[in-house]
């Protein structure tokens, strides 16, 4: 009898890391373990130091990531009840674009005494949005110079990405910038810790690092942004590129001691949490749009055609699967918006009733909202509480609810916000289709799958069959699939996904009556979208009313 073999997938999220043990023969998930980051998201002050942070900052402490390897991985293997010697590979995925400034040996600058009180020395989380002015300048200069790579990103580079964050460090703390030997995607940094060598993965290099057709933006372009930025690529960014599903190296003795896994097993190249989920869904064919809905939403899809799609996060050759054009779009806030509403906008009476019924406030409001007819609340909302990633690519936009009266309840507003996120996804789908990139199926993964009302709203609003990914740990499963490929168990990622990945096809079907009503509401959403997103800069002006610069000018 041939012994079963296993891989471990580790998903590094915004607040925690999750390890999953997966059987290679059929993708069965044996056990998982989660470890919360000790420092979470650093947004108010540096940990243990009297250093306050400005608005829109979101930092992390890289040692928290290593703790996931030390704690979650051994725990998952123990819970799985397997012999660690039967694990043949480990794969990882990460939030993106999360960047770690390091020295040449991989040591994060924030771990050095001389930089521990310097905010720019810490990891910049994906939702660190303060480099919007740098992103605006990158876009303006690229547009004026007619840079050939700009259309691959829908005409706009995000403040979340590598170049804007690096330029912010240069302009905000030149001493920290000079001390950076490598500005590393966290997806690659954690692989560096596992196998002892630093190689970039094709996914983050293409989507977040503006690497197209084997090249980054030119030295001349960078110098025009800032003279001191001219050599950023050659001195701090450029590194050999590894392809998804390939082996980055083997597990070092140190990493084996951390994880309890055998030294020398395959370590897969790093990947992004959203992109790796496509394999978990076995949705690698053209036109299968995978939306990973959590605190934010990332929409990813393979296609056999290359088109210029306005406001997309990138079209990358091999960015999801070798031999296909991988497209990415996204919404900066989804679950975060619902959580904000629960924390700030619900009267005590609803909380009391939820406690009496023994359900969460989300569940209580969802049940009440499900009793409403489409459009009954008379509201339309914009889902921009954390800015707009696609297709406007502007993180200084903000949320709006229109139509409130003295009869409006928190249930009305809650449902309007659920619908707003679905409308945002429809904008993305329609932008793809209008640009010549077909979308045939909407596949949803992530923690919000359990909200059946939300899923039906998405099917009705988008007007497509909605399939679901049954795995509660889809990114970790995707990472484990890539690990199996890197270990040589399959010829390629597509073959591994067919064996180990899965989705429930057509779990939700559009309801014709709801589709017609949502078409009417969507037209109002688009009008609101264009007015605040393209018609004026009111939202940006409001952000500046209480800024330090404005206050100083009034004195």
């Amino acid at each position: 009898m041939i012994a079963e073999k296993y891989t471990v997938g580790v998903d590094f999220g915004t607040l925690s890391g999750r390890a999953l043990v997966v059987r290679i023969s059929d993708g069965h998930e044996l056990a998982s373990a989660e470890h919360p980051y000790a420092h979470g998201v650093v947004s108010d002050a540096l940990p243990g130091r009297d250093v306050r942070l400005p608005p829109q900052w979101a930092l992390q402490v890289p040692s928290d990531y290593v703790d996931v390897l030390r704690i979650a991985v051994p725990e998952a293997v123990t819970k799985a009840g397997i012999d660690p010697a039967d694990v043949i590979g480990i794969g990882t995925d990460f939030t993106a674009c999360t960047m770690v400034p390091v020295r040449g040996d991989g040591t994060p600058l924030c771990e050095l005494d001389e930089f521990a009180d310097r905010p720019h020395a810490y990891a910049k989380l994906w939702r660190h949005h303060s480099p919007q002015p740098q992103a605006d300048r990158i876009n303006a200069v690229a547009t004026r110079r007619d840079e050939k790579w700009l259309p691959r990103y829908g005409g706009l580079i995000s403040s979340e990405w590598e170049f804007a964050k690096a330029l912010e460090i240069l302009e905000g703390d030149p001493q920290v910038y000079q001390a950076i030997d490598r500005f590393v995607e966290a997806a690659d940094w954690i692989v560096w810790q596992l196998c002892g060598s630093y190689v970039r993965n094709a996914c983050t290099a293409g989507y977040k690092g503006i690497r197209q057709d084997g090249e980054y933006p030119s030295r001349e372009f960078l110098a025009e942004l800032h003279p001191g930025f001219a050599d950023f690529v050659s001195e701090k960014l450029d590194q050999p590129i590894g392809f998804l599903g390939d082996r980055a190296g083997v597990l070092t003795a140190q990493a084996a001691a951390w994880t309890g896994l055998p030294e020398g097993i395959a370590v897969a190249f790093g990947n992004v949490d959203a992109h790796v989920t496509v394999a978990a869904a076995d949705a690698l064919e053209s036109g299968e749009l995978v939306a990973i809905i959590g605190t934010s939403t990332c929409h990813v899809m393979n296609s056999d055609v290359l088109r210029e799609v306005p406001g997309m996060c990138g079209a990358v050759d091999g960015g999801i699967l070798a031999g296909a054009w991988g497209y990415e779009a996204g919404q900066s806030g989804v679950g975060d918006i619902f959580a904000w509403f629960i924390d700030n906008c619900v009267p005590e009476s609803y909380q009391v009733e939820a406690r009496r019924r023994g359900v969460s406030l989300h569940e209580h409001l969802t049940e009440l909202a499900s009793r409403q007819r489409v459009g009954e609340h008379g509201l339309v909302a914009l889902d921009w509480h954390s800015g707009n990633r696609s297709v406007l690519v502007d993180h200084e936009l903000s949320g709006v609810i229109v139509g409130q009266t003295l009869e409006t309840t928190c249930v009305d507003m809650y449902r309007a916000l659920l619908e707003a996120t679905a409308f945002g996804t429809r904008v993305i789908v329609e932008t793809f289709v209008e640009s010549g990139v077909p979308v045939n199926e909407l596949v949803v993964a992530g923690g919000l799958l359990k909200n059946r009302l939300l899923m039906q709203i998405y099917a009705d609003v988008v007007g497509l069959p909605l399939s679901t990914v049954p795995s509660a740990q889809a990114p970790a499963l995707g990472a484990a699939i890539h690990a199996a490929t890197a270990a040589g168990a399959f010829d390629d990622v597509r073959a591994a996904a067919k064996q180990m990945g899965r989705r429930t096809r057509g779990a939700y079907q559009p309801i014709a009556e709801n589709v017609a009503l949502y078409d009417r509401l969507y037209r109002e959403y688009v009008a609101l979208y264009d007015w605040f997103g393209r018609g004026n800069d009111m939202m940006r002006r409001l952000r500046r009313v209480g800024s330090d610069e404005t206050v100083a000018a009034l004195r």
Side-chain angles (χ1 to χ4, degrees), residues 384-404:
W384 297 347
H385 298 65
S386 193
N388 179 285
R389 184 181 295 163
S390 297
V391 295
L392 299 174
V393 196
D394 188 343
H395 293 291
E396 292 194 323
L397 296 175
S398 49
V400 170
I401 300 179
V402 172
Q404 296 175 90

Side-chain angles (χ1 to χ4, degrees), residues 311-357:
M312 294 302 102
C313 301
V316 177
D317 187 7
I320 300 171
L321 179 73
W325 288 99
Y327 288 87
E328 177 190 346
Q331 293 166 265
S332 297
V334 179
D336 270 356
I337 298 174
F338 309 151
W340 162 82
F341 185 83
I342 290 292
D343 290 342
N344 296 280
C345 304
V346 180
E348 175 66 18
S349 60
Y350 289 86
Q351 301 177 41
V352 170
E353 179 62 14
R355 287 194 295 268
R356 187 192 68 78
R357 296 181 56 227

Side-chain angles (χ1 to χ4, degrees), residues 207-535:
Y207 291 104
K208 315 303 179 184
I210 319 182
R211 186 179 186 273
Q212 292 285 348
D213 302 322
E215 299 177 348
Y216 293 98
S218 68
R219 187 180 188 279
E220 292 72 26
F221 169 77
L222 299 178
E224 190 163 340
L225 295 174
H226 189 294
F229 205 50
D231 296 316
F232 169 64
V233 167
S234 60
E235 291 185 352
K236 304 181 189 298
L237 192 66
D238 198 13
Q239 198 75 9
I241 300 294
F243 295 98
L244 306 181
D246 284 356
R247 190 175 72 170
V250 298
L251 200 67
T252 65
Q254 181 185 55
W258 291 340
T259 60
L261 301 178
E263 181 181 353
I265 64 171
V267 177
F269 278 105
N271 209 325
V272 177
D273 48 6
H275 303 69
V276 78
T277 300
V278 178
D282 186 23
L284 291 161
E285 302 307 318
S286 295
E288 297 172 342
L289 181 66
V290 180
I292 300 86
I293 305 179
T295 55
S296 63
T297 294
C298 192
H299 307 76
V300 285
M301 177 177 64
N302 283 315
S303 181
D304 55 7
V305 298
L306 175 62
R307 299 287 185 270
E308 295 180 6
V309 185
M312 294 302 102
C313 301
V316 177
D317 187 7
I320 300 171
L321 179 73
W325 288 99
Y327 288 87
E328 177 190 346
Q331 293 166 265
S332 297
V334 179
D336 270 356
I337 298 174
F338 309 151
W340 162 82
F341 185 83
I342 290 292
D343 290 342
N344 296 280
C345 304
V346 180
E348 175 66 18
S349 60
Y350 289 86
Q351 301 177 41
V352 170
E353 179 62 14
R355 287 194 295 268
R356 187 192 68 78
R357 296 181 56 227
V359 298
S360 73
L361 203 45
H362 282 290
E363 291 170 321
H364 183 47
L365 292 183
T366 296
E367 181 179 330
L368 295 174
S370 68
R371 301 174 187 173
Q372 295 187 351
R373 300 184 309 277
V374 175
E376 178 181 329
H377 51 52
L379 304 175
V380 64
L382 290 176
D383 51 318
W384 297 347
H385 298 65
S386 193
N388 179 285
R389 184 181 295 163
S390 297
V391 295
L392 299 174
V393 196
D394 188 343
H395 293 291
E396 292 194 323
L397 296 175
S398 49
V400 170
I401 300 179
V402 172
Q404 296 175 90
T405 72
L406 294 178
E407 303 300 319
T408 299
T409 69
C410 70
V411 177
D412 298 333
M413 292 184 284
Y414 187 73
R415 177 162 181 143
L417 291 173
L418 298 182
E419 293 167 341
T421 67
F423 292 145
T425 287
R426 178 168 169 175
V427 168
I428 290 167
V429 170
E430 290 189 349
T431 303
F432 272 125
V433 173
E434 291 166 1
S435 301
V437 182
V439 179
N440 308 314
E441 180 183 4
L442 181 62
V443 184
V444 174
L448 292 181
L449 274 177
K450 60 182 179 288
N451 190 317
R452 296 182 60 83
L453 172 63
L454 182 66
M455 293 301 99
Q456 187 62 54
I457 288 172
Y458 270 67
D460 294 339
V461 166
V462 178
L464 286 173
L466 189 151
S467 302
T468 58
V469 182
S471 174
Q473 304 288 350
L477 173 59
I481 289 171
H482 282 74
T485 309
F490 299 93
D491 290 337
D492 55 31
V493 173
R494 179 179 270 112
K498 288 189 180 302
Q499 187 83 3
M500 299 173 67
R502 57 197 176 277
R503 72 183 183 275
T504 303
R505 297 174 184 267
Y508 295 85
Q509 295 292 331
I511 299 171
E513 179 183 355
N514 293 351
V515 170
L517 291 170
Y518 275 128
D519 281 345
R520 293 176 60 186
L521 276 178
Y522 179 68
R523 289 195 291 271
E524 303 300 337
Y525 174 87
V526 170
L528 197 62
Y529 190 102
D530 288 341
W531 173 250
F532 282 107
R534 298 186 173 104

Side-chain angles (χ1 to χ4, degrees), residues 183-217:
F183 198 46
V184 185
E185 282 275 0
D188 297 323
W189 185 82
I190 202 66
V191 170
W192 191 351
Q193 308 314 299
L194 287 168
C195 68
S197 59
Y198 172 34
V199 182
R200 297 207 71 188
N201 73 83
C203 182
T204 54
Y207 291 104
K208 315 303 179 184
I210 319 182
R211 186 179 186 273
Q212 292 285 348
D213 302 322
E215 299 177 348
Y216 293 98

Side-chain angles (χ1 to χ4, degrees), residues 8-12 16-20 33-37 62-77 90-94 186-196 251-252 254-261 267:
V8 174
V10 188
D11 169 39
F12 292 87
S16 65
R18 294 159 291 277
L20 179 69
E34 181 175 8
H35 179 69
Y37 302 145
S63 61
D64 288 349
Y65 309 147
V66 176
D67 286 344
V68 173
L69 301 178
R70 297 175 186 269
I71 298 170
V73 174
E75 181 181 340
V77 172
I90 182 171
T92 57
D93 69 83
F94 231 104
D188 297 323
W189 185 82
I190 202 66
V191 170
W192 191 351
Q193 308 314 299
L194 287 168
C195 68
L251 200 67
T252 65
Q254 181 185 55
W258 291 340
T259 60
L261 301 178
V267 177

